[in-house]
Amino acid sequence: MYKIAVMGDRDSIYGFAALGLDTYEVKQNSGEAAKILKRLAENDYAIIYMTEPLCSELETELDKYRENLTPAIIPVPAVKGNTGYGQAKVKSFVEKAVGADII
């Protein structure tokens, strides 16, 4: 059975635990984030929500999973607010799929 995880800073992810999701607190600018992501991807996690600042930090690691069906790595705003990372990524994916900017 597939599982769902959330990665990010403590303040941004602790509410997801109340929903029954597995939460993984990660300090910014640490090598542990890439290790946790790899472990989750290898252990039946179909969806991994990740705070936008952490996604920005792990951009090269995330590229390894973009072509795979699982895990789906979905950026969510951190408690400090939206950085625009998620919106920019969706826009770039649409441009790639359609061949033009639709916005």
Side-chain angles (χ1 to χ4, degrees), residues 28-103:
Q28 296 299 116
N29 300 319
S30 71
E32 76 173 305
K35 291 176 187 175
I36 292 172
L37 176 60
K38 183 178 181 198
R39 189 177 77 229
L40 295 176
E42 293 172 350
N43 288 302
D44 291 332
Y45 281 88
I47 300 172
I48 301 172
Y49 292 104
M50 189 178 297
T51 59
E52 289 180 335
L54 189 56
C55 284
S56 295
E57 182 181 322
L58 295 176
E59 187 70 36
T60 56
E61 291 295 321
L62 296 178
D63 287 340
K64 297 175 185 176
Y65 302 102
R66 293 214 196 282
E67 300 298 320
N68 297 344
L69 184 59
T70 60
I73 300 172
I74 302 168
V76 295
V79 74
K80 294 178 182 173
N82 185 352
T83 64
Y85 176 89
Q87 183 177 1
K89 281 299 175 187
V90 168
K91 182 179 178 192
S92 72
F93 295 147
V94 169
E95 286 176 1
K96 184 176 178 182
V98 175
D101 184 4
I102 62 169
I103 298 177

